[in-house]
Amino acid sequence: MKKAIYIFSSGELKRKDNTLYLETEDRKNYIPVENTSEIYIFGEVNINKRFLEFASQNQIIIHFFNHYDYYVGSFYPREFLNSGYMILKQAEYYLDKEKRLTIAREFVRGAVKNILQVIRYYINRGKDLVKIDERIRELEGRIDDFNEIDELMAIEGNIRECYYSSFDKILQNQDFKFCKRTTRPPKNNLNSLISFGNSMIYTIVLSEIYKTHLDPRIGFLHATNFRRFTLNLDVAEIFKPIIVDRVILTLIGRKVITKDDFEQDSEGLIIKEKAKREFIKELEEKLSTTFKHRQIGKNVSYRRLIRLELYKLEKHLMGEQEYSAFVAGW
Amino acid sequence: MLLREGLKVLNEEINITGTLVWYYFICPRQVWLMSHNINPDEDDENVAIGRFLHQESYARERKEISFHGGKVDVLGTREGQLVIAEIKKSSKAERSAKMQLAFYLFELRKLGIEAKGELRYLEEKRKEQIVLDEQLTREVENAITRILKLMYEPVPPKPEKIRWCSNCAYREFCWA
């Protein structure tokens, strides 16, 4: 199985003979190209065109993040799986308002169902979340009433706000108060972890989209404007609660990440490198966790589950099988 | 504009190849998917094994000719007739192999080239001669018609659990 490579240090990343080579101040490292699916770059890394060509040949996506861990962009090699048919279908379902709404609603429904699954877990562990659970269910019941994408986005926002407020009750940790959702820059520790986790899942889904025939620029819930990738944002909604949020709650709960892992600089909060490494370690562990998939009859990992979700979407666009979002059963 | 260009792409790509004939007799659904450029999972190791076998087997003896319907291995001439071969791992899909080779013979005949066929099964070290007689010609013509019809269907045939599924690179796509 190919692996994702994460680079936090600064240095130079280049092609050396027929493999990847990372040179930093204190280390020289060969990275086997055959084993690499994607590269995440957090550090100040120099690269050249020769390197990008090599990455492209080997179908390796490179995701860039800036000093504050904001997603900068991806080097998305020229599509290697290309189907004119699938792109037309994707466009057709985007342009037809009813068809687009059907898919967008299912993304929201899947996201909410998985949110409720996280909430239920903590209710079972004695957390006082019954009111929040009720409120979310009430909002969930209204998903079908809305016939505009904007309204769907708004209700999803409401649900998420309500859901995040449960984090205070789950964590009961003064160092990680939610207050309200803030981005660019996140105003507190918890918000910066949520932002970091969300950026990670967006790029992970993007990497999986690359291996399908879908065009990441045509999203259904998130409006397409062809300037950025949006389909990955759509699909990530489903997986945020059960992957990202569970990682965050685990790491804070186990005190693997504490308030000392953050520092304020002139422009915003920074997560220290050690905490980012811990985050990614936990995230990778989660992604590689497998369970038995009923239809396929084999064990699949969470990362694979994302790919399966994309396959389901392809089949919906082909008119073959109606898309129904993945809902965690536990 | 986008639509028109897309349709052009689709039309250009609709033509039958030997590989599609092979797959048709294993799983028609796969033919529909492949002809719509919905390729299988590239990470799948069986795909890689196939590629390797093709590169390594009979490497000395072999020359290739490419034509409209695909690429076929040339073994040389025997009694003044061209002999072409199709190499397979085993005879598990005998009918598929036979029809694929027959299709090549048929396509070559359309180009005015009379050839004989030879199937080679690596695991069994077995050869089988294929002659494009009247009956086989009819079968090929028949298959071509059915494959074309299938390719123009708006949706693929429903997935069916068959014995090939467990090693198929479309497995996850079909059953997700």
Side-chain angles (χ1 to χ4, degrees):
Chain A
M1 200 62 199
K2 291 184 176 190
K3 283 197 306 202
I5 302 286
Y6 300 89
I7 299 174
F8 294 99
S9 37
S10 299
E12 193 174 6
L13 185 58
K14 53 188 176 188
R15 170 183 186 167
K16 197 158 184 184
D17 302 323
N18 269 325
T19 198
L20 305 168
Y21 180 71
L22 174 68
E23 191 173 331
T24 59
E25 262 184 23
D26 41 315
R27 253 174 351 135
K28 289 175 178 160
N29 235 347
Y30 285 97
I31 304 167
V33 68
E34 296 288 345
N35 258 338
T36 305
S37 55
E38 67 232 68
I39 303 177
Y40 289 83
I41 299 184
F42 295 96
E44 293 306 320
V45 171
N46 291 325
I47 51 174
N48 58 23
K49 181 168 130 275
R50 205 170 106 86
F51 170 79
L52 291 175
E53 274 172 13
F54 189 54
S56 176
Q57 266 169 29
N58 288 283
Q59 289 133 20
I60 297 172
I61 306 190
I62 306 163
H63 303 294
F64 297 95
F65 297 82
N66 76 6
H67 180 61
Y68 297 95
D69 302 323
Y70 294 169
Y71 173 63
V72 172
S74 300
F75 174 69
Y76 196 81
R78 193 168 54 88
E79 303 242 9
F80 76 103
L81 293 180
N82 224 325
S83 166
Y85 167 82
M86 193 59 82
I87 292 175
L88 284 177
K89 284 290 171 190
Q90 215 180 327
E92 177 194 327
Y93 277 71
Y94 177 82
L95 293 171
D96 182 313
K97 192 181 159 195
E98 272 312 307
K99 287 179 174 170
R100 183 178 163 196
L101 264 171
T102 309
I103 299 175
R105 273 202 201 102
E106 191 53 28
F107 285 141
V108 176
R109 213 175 286 130
V112 178
K113 287 253 185 288
N114 286 318
I115 282 174
L116 287 169
Q117 208 56 265
V118 174
I119 299 268
R120 187 203 295 177
Y121 174 83
Y122 286 101
I123 289 179
N124 289 343
R125 305 191 124 206
K127 305 284 180 188
D128 174 24
L129 302 174
V130 177
K131 278 228 168 60
I132 288 174
D133 183 74
E134 275 170 14
R135 172 85 184 122
I136 292 176
R137 281 175 199 278
E138 186 191 313
L139 290 167
E140 184 196 16
R142 291 165 60 192
I143 291 175
D144 287 335
D145 303 342
F146 294 107
N147 293 314
E148 297 296 331
I149 296 284
D150 292 351
E151 294 170 345
L152 264 178
M153 288 282 276
I155 193 149
E156 210 228 345
N158 287 344
I159 290 171
R160 221 163 259 284
E161 196 73 23
C162 182
Y163 160 63
Y164 283 136
S165 74
S166 75
F167 283 25
D168 287 343
K169 286 188 170 149
I170 293 170
L171 292 169
Q172 292 170 329
N173 183 333
Q174 287 305 311
D175 300 331
F176 291 93
K177 295 283 277 177
F178 175 68
C179 303
K180 68 190 257 272
R181 183 82 181 106
T182 51
T183 55
R184 297 196 169 245
K187 291 249 175 359
N188 65 31
N189 299 347
L190 186 54
N191 269 295
S192 60
L193 281 182
I194 293 173
S195 290
F196 181 64
N198 288 348
S199 312
M200 291 307 298
I201 195 84
Y202 294 150
T203 54
I204 288 161
V205 176
L206 181 61
S207 295
E208 292 303 317
I209 292 175
Y210 183 65
K211 292 168 196 151
T212 70
H213 305 83
L214 295 164
D215 189 316
R217 293 168 299 185
I218 307 175
F220 298 95
L221 177 61
H222 291 85
T224 291
N225 58 22
F226 286 105
R227 275 180 308 156
R228 61 169 300 173
F229 299 136
T230 48
L231 184 63
N232 56 330
L233 309 187
D234 284 6
V235 176
E237 294 298 338
I238 297 163
F239 294 100
K240 276 186 206 170
I242 51 173
I243 297 180
V244 176
D245 300 339
R246 278 179 171 166
V247 165
I248 293 173
L249 295 170
T250 307
L251 289 172
I252 299 174
R254 281 200 219 131
K255 302 204 165 29
V256 177
I257 292 180
T258 66
K259 69 171 193 303
D260 300 330
D261 286 312
F262 301 84
E263 58 192 351
Q264 183 81 40
D265 90 345
S266 55
E267 282 177 64
L269 263 182
I270 294 179
I271 307 172
K272 289 184 190 168
E273 188 183 318
K274 181 196 135 273
K276 276 185 274 181
R277 284 180 187 276
E278 291 290 352
F279 194 107
I280 282 160
K281 202 174 118 208
E282 186 68 28
L283 184 66
E284 276 291 328
E285 217 156 278
K286 182 117 227 147
L287 287 169
S288 56
T289 306
T290 60
F291 55 91
K292 178 107 172 164
H293 192 286
R294 261 177 294 142
Q295 276 82 35
I296 292 170
K298 286 200 171 166
N299 281 341
V300 296
S301 64
Y302 274 93
R303 186 184 271 274
R304 205 64 188 171
L305 203 56
I306 298 174
R307 179 91 67 91
L308 297 183
E309 204 63 10
L310 299 169
Y311 288 159
K312 274 155 57 182
L313 190 58
E314 287 190 323
K315 291 199 283 188
H316 181 94
L317 300 176
M318 283 158 56
E320 184 177 43
Q321 182 187 310
E322 207 178 314
Y323 174 65
S324 133
F326 172 79
V327 178
W330 55 93
Chain B
M1 192 59 202
L2 182 69
L3 257 167
R4 202 172 307 139
E5 273 173 20
L7 285 173
K8 205 176 110 211
V9 171
L10 266 179
N11 280 330
E12 274 171 8
E13 282 173 5
I14 287 204
N15 72 61
I16 293 181
T17 63
T19 324
L20 287 181
V21 174
W22 155 265
Y23 283 118
Y24 181 74
F25 289 96
I26 292 175
C27 172
R29 177 175 167 82
Q30 186 161 0
V31 171
W32 191 96
L33 293 172
M34 290 181 98
S35 60
H36 287 73
N37 258 3
I38 299 168
N39 315 64
D41 184 359
E42 294 275 330
D43 298 343
D44 196 278
E45 59 183 40
N46 282 309
V47 178
I49 292 173
R51 216 175 286 138
F52 177 80
L53 273 181
H54 181 81
Q55 274 169 20
E56 299 297 312
S57 316
Y58 298 102
R60 265 169 302 146
E61 198 180 345
R62 215 172 61 199
K63 294 177 189 69
E64 278 179 344
I65 43 169
S66 301
F67 57 102
H68 182 68
K71 209 190 272 176
V72 62
D73 296 324
V74 178
L75 291 180
T77 48
R78 211 182 285 153
E79 294 153 19
Q81 233 179 30
L82 186 72
V83 183
I84 62 169
E86 184 57 34
I87 303 162
K88 296 291 178 201
K89 207 167 119 217
S90 78
S91 62
K92 258 198 279 180
E94 210 167 352
R95 172 109 175 111
S96 280
K98 195 174 168 184
M99 291 308 289
Q100 181 179 2
L101 189 54
F103 171 78
Y104 290 140
L105 295 172
F106 178 83
E107 286 290 300
L108 286 174
R109 181 176 287 169
K110 279 204 295 192
L111 298 172
I113 302 166
E114 280 302 319
K116 280 184 174 164
E118 188 172 298
L119 281 173
R120 293 185 170 193
Y121 300 116
L122 291 177
E123 277 177 3
E124 297 138 45
K125 299 197 169 66
R126 190 163 69 84
K127 295 175 187 174
E128 192 187 334
Q129 312 301 323
I130 303 288
V131 180
L132 188 65
D133 56 18
E134 228 174 273
Q135 151 110 42
L136 195 54
T137 307
R138 261 202 313 277
E139 281 179 48
V140 173
E141 281 171 339
N142 225 322
I144 292 173
T145 316
R146 279 181 290 155
I147 294 171
L148 270 175
K149 187 167 167 288
L150 167 70
M151 280 156 63
Y152 279 101
E153 289 290 328
V155 286
K158 286 230 171 323
E160 255 177 70
K161 274 246 157 78
I162 53 174
R163 67 190 170 116
W164 304 100
C165 288
S166 58
N167 285 321
C168 176
Y170 283 106
R171 178 184 63 238
E172 292 185 339
F173 180 84
C174 287
W175 304 107

